[in-house]
Amino acid sequence: MSWKKDEDNDELGALLNLDRSSVLQEARVFNKTPIRPRQSRLILAKILFLLYRGDSIPTEDATNLFFSITKLFQCKDMSLRQMVYLTIKELSTISEDVIMVTSSLMKDMQPNSEIIYRANAIRALCKIVDPSMLPGIERLIKSAIVEKSPSIASAALVSSVHLFSDAKDVVRRWGNEASEALNGKGLSMGTSFFGSGSAQNKQVVSTSNIVQYHAMGLLYSIRQHDRMAVLKLVQTFSGQSKSGGWMSGPSPKLRSNMAYVMLIRYAVRVMESDSTLLPQLYAQLEEWMAHSSDMVSLEAARAVCQLRDVSSGPLTRAVSVLQMFLGSPRATARFAAIRTLNALARTHPEAVQPCNVDMESLITDKNRSVATFAITTLLKTGNEASVDRLMKQMQGFMAEISDEFKIIIAEAVRSLCRTFPSKHSLFLNFLSGILRDEGGYDFKRAAIEGIVDLAKNVPECKESALAHLCEFIEDCEFTKLSVRVLYFLGEEGPRTAKPTMYIRHIYNRVVLENAVVRAAAVNALAKFGGSSLADPALQQSVRVLLKRCLDDRDDEVRDRAAWALRMMNDESAKDKYVRDDSTFALVVLERRLVEYCADPNAPRKGRFSFEGVPRISRAQEEESRNQARLDSMDAALTGTTISAPTSSRAAGAGGLDSSEAPGTPTAGGASSSGLMDVFEQQAKYASQLNAIPEIAAFGDQPLVSSLKPAELSEAETEYVVRCIKHVYDGHIVFQFDITNTIPEQVIEQVEVVMVPEEEIEGVLEPVVVVPVPELKYDQPGTAYVAFAHTDPDTFPSVSFTCTLKFVVKECDPETGEPEEGDEGFDDEYSLEATDLGAGDFMQATYIPDSHALWESLGEDGEAIETFALANFDSIEECITNVSDILGMCPLEGALKPKSKAAHQAVFTGKWMGRTKAVARTRMTYQKGAGVTMELAVRSEDQSISELMVAAIA
């Protein structure tokens, strides 16, 4: 499409003030004869502009416009035809009967058509075609994939990728053609987008090799669920300079650097799924790091840096490659290298330290983005002596960078606050200084959170940090940030030596700010008045201020003030609303509220109950948010997406660091956010159970669900099975997540047969078995076995022998469909035994003030016993296993012993989600003798305490 600069300036300017009605009126010119190409192009451009701007066109008008545009196929003008294709694609989603244009598009797809027609016609046709009609054009698409013209082949490949989600079975049949395109067979390096056999077109040589990139993407879409096929794809294009290697004969040649990048990403996925291939693929990644293309080298180095549990050898070589690119004359290469090193420095700072000298030279880089990453990386890898110099250099160019990079710097300083607490005054001055600079909400929020972290983790600077926050809210333009600061002042202010100095700043917000901030200020005042540290004079001052708030013009502020005054006169209300440091697991609470509101029978069942919602501490909730923030930041720095959280048991090494507050629960896994992931997974389980009528009859929600799935088979076996237990009031449900790993088989009527190894008659009776109707390759399914708990006073400890029974049918690995006429045969597969123990009836939940609860329960509900555990080689290993067995929430750094010789731990929980229980352990370790442990459990029911102690025995 050509534009004449001197003639069309007015027409292009008119696009900014387009009106839909006038454009539709102008579109009537499409029906006139002869067709006017230039005028029609301009009107089509206006239509596209309207659509891209977000204007809506009614379906009837869009349909009439669509069929008017199809009349333009009579004109052979190439520029007009391109605009027709683009407009048809955009209107196809809002018009009716668009399939009528198929014949015109198929005519342009014929081999004797112009190349420019064929490529665009393929894109347009695949956009509007119905999946049921795809077999009719399959021959044309397959021939286009192997076409010698790169533009036609790329158009067919990209369209196939888009079609795959709607017509997987059809597109899978195009795998051979995609392989041929990837191998470069028959692909011409001649005519490209405007090239054709006619003399009127100029011959343009294509050197992009983009076809291989698109073919690689299509092949992976087809084979992504077949691990062996993906491995074969990676192996086929590995070791290109060698013969033999993994495969006999020379490997095919990849000419596209972007295809190499995709291949590296696929190789990483293979490495993550099969650890036995790590040595071979590590060697291949090292070969790719020496590739002549910077793009490929950087991607290979980045892939190594992002691998989980990467060994020091490959990581050192990857860092050396990135170090080389730090001195590149191209800013893009420097930026890619320093960004990867910045993300790596968070998990492996010692591996990045050899690059410190090179990174220091980048601090003065003219590209301020590179300089920002250089400084923040040095802050992570440097020592305490270098912090002062780096902070001064940062202050020099804060005004020259965008908010996005200011946030990165603020987050880096926030991380340093815990690493070098002795430098708190330097960090606090820097963060308070950038608060005074101009910036957006996200930037100011990052600085505020940094100051909040300092106040929490460095007691020496708490009062100075609170003073800076008070100064900030005096002139804060963001309501959310004012509310955040007021909340923090309400939490920490009452614990300071002079709480009255903060009350003045808080009350100023009641006088000067909007209703939202005034309401938050009232809550903060209530926390000062309800604090256990508040003296009578302070409480009286707070009452006077709150009474003034009763005359506020906003009803929310008045209501909060009235509530606060009443609460201050009730000690039990203070304990419940102000001094309680626990909160609900919001993920579970939200899901259960949504299900309650969606249940049409909810009014008859009564009011919503909070009893079954697990509780966590506010410190744990904050830690979970911090982990999510760090994950989001890593994803932004590395350009990757955030993977779904994996549920892990509240056990193992982890929890908070040694500076955590007493009484704070640990999550057990890598961080305290692990238990939040478990709660989220349990909420999903509950939704799945409610969708099964036989199990939904047991109750709205299970009282207790397993924290950790029990693996009943190895990951490398034919069938991978995991067991999750759900305890209802009167029933126990065993959930079996099953995955078929055999591509050539489909298994049907899949169920698990459970046989108790001990006598359970009169206690447990099988009542429901829910099989999986069909299980295809790599598509997980879930089977259920439910038992009625007929004796509510008896809680059995029993093992079940499990056997997987199913019908096997042979299938086509490409389509996954069973062969016709194959009735299959019965088969079974032995699984590991699964146990039902006392810990399966215990809900891991945080109970505030565990010491007070322990004293209130008294010795009447206590059971205590000493165990000699000679089979454990460390206290950490022992406490992890004890936590698994008890199924309770660990507190006070329970899973992270500070001493190798002795350790104490506290656990809390609720039996069947109702009866509170506290467990205390004391352990000593002696080499050769193992661990000696004393376990004491107190609960509201003596029998429960005895069951928990007996579970260890």
Side-chain angles (χ1 to χ4, degrees), residues 30-95:
F30 299 154
N31 297 318
K32 294 183 180 180
T33 305
I35 295 174
R36 302 174 183 176
R38 184 175 178 278
Q39 184 180 8
S40 298
R41 290 202 309 267
L42 290 174
I43 297 172
L44 290 173
K46 293 178 181 180
I47 295 171
L48 289 171
F49 185 82
L50 286 174
L51 293 171
Y52 293 156
R53 194 173 65 182
D55 291 18
S56 60
I57 300 178
T59 302
E60 183 178 354
D61 292 341
T63 302
N64 295 333
L65 181 60
F66 183 88
F67 285 103
S68 296
I69 292 172
T70 58
K71 296 179 180 179
L72 299 178
F73 276 102
Q74 301 173 27
C75 181
K76 299 298 183 182
D77 185 89
M78 286 190 178
S79 298
L80 175 59
R81 187 65 65 88
Q82 284 182 279
M83 294 299 294
V84 168
Y85 291 131
L86 289 174
T87 313
I88 283 176
K89 286 197 294 184
E90 296 301 324
L91 290 175
S92 63
T93 58
I94 56 176
S95 304

Side-chain angles (χ1 to χ4, degrees), residues 442-462:
D442 290 328
F443 165 53
K444 293 295 181 71
R445 181 176 62 85
I448 288 292
E449 294 299 336
I451 295 176
V452 167
D453 267 10
L454 267 173
K456 285 182 177 179
N457 298 306
V458 186
E460 295 86 352
C461 73
K462 176 183 289 187

Side-chain angles (χ1 to χ4, degrees), residues 157 160-162 164-165 168 171-172 174-179 182 211-235 237 258-259 261-273 777-778 814:
L157 289 165
S160 301
V161 172
H162 289 300
F164 184 76
S165 58
K168 292 183 174 62
V171 177
R172 280 195 179 101
W174 306 346
N176 292 335
E177 284 74 16
S179 297
L182 180 60
V211 174
Q212 286 189 320
Y213 171 66
H214 293 151
M216 181 78 74
L218 177 58
L219 271 179
Y220 181 75
S221 297
I222 293 173
R223 302 176 180 178
Q224 58 184 326
H225 297 298
D226 186 347
R227 188 178 63 183
M228 296 306 297
V230 175
L231 174 60
K232 183 178 179 181
L233 178 64
V234 173
Q235 290 177 339
F237 294 96
M258 288 189 289
V261 170
M262 295 296 289
L263 189 65
I264 291 170
R265 295 179 183 179
Y266 300 155
V268 170
R269 294 178 189 179
V270 171
M271 296 171 78
E272 292 175 346
S273 62
Y777 167 71
D778 206 28
E814 293 294 330

Side-chain angles (χ1 to χ4, degrees), residues 325-375:
F325 282 107
L326 292 178
S328 172
R330 297 193 301 118
T332 52
R334 296 197 304 275
F335 179 82
I338 192 64
R339 188 176 74 162
T340 304
L341 290 171
N342 185 279
L344 180 64
R346 183 176 160 233
T347 54
H348 297 84
E350 68 288 345
V352 184
Q353 284 178 350
C355 303
N356 281 2
V357 175
D358 300 89
M359 289 189 290
E360 287 193 13
S361 65
L362 294 179
I363 294 177
T364 57
D365 195 282
K366 60 182 179 181
N367 186 309
R368 305 317 286 167
S369 302
V370 174
T372 302
F373 275 121
I375 281 194

Side-chain angles (χ1 to χ4, degrees), residues 1 6 80 88 120 204-205 216 338 379 381 404 419 422 572 606 749 822 858 888:
M1 184 173 180
D6 54 345
L80 175 59
I88 283 176
N120 286 286
V204 180
V205 176
M216 181 78 74
I338 192 64
L379 287 174
T381 61
E404 179 184 1
T419 308
S422 61
S572 62
Q749 297 303 313
D822 184 3
M888 304 175 78

Side-chain angles (χ1 to χ4, degrees), residues 582-705:
S582 67
T583 185
F584 292 106
L586 294 182
V587 174
V588 181
L589 178 61
E590 179 186 15
R591 185 177 289 270
R592 294 193 179 179
L593 284 172
V594 169
E595 291 172 351
Y596 178 82
C597 294
D599 186 1
N601 299 320
R604 292 197 296 270
K605 295 179 180 178
R607 61 193 298 180
F608 180 83
S609 174
F610 291 91
E611 290 299 323
V613 181
R615 300 182 73 90
I616 57 175
S617 74
R618 297 187 185 278
Q620 184 177 4
E621 181 186 36
E622 185 70 20
E623 187 70 14
S624 176
R625 290 177 179 172
N626 286 340
Q627 186 62 43
R629 173 184 60 84
L630 292 174
D631 290 342
S632 299
M633 183 169 234
D634 280 352
L637 293 177
T638 58
T640 58
T641 56
I642 303 175
S643 59
T646 55
S647 300
S648 58
R649 169 79 173 130
L656 299 177
D657 56 24
S658 58
S659 63
E660 64 189 4
T664 301
T666 63
S671 70
S672 65
S673 62
L675 196 57
M676 295 291 289
D677 295 339
V678 171
F679 288 149
E680 182 176 5
Q681 187 61 52
Q682 289 180 347
K684 292 179 182 178
Y685 288 150
S687 299
Q688 295 172 5
L689 293 168
N690 287 337
I692 302 171
E694 299 94 326
I695 298 178
F698 299 161
D700 293 334
Q701 303 284 342
L703 300 176
V704 184
S705 292

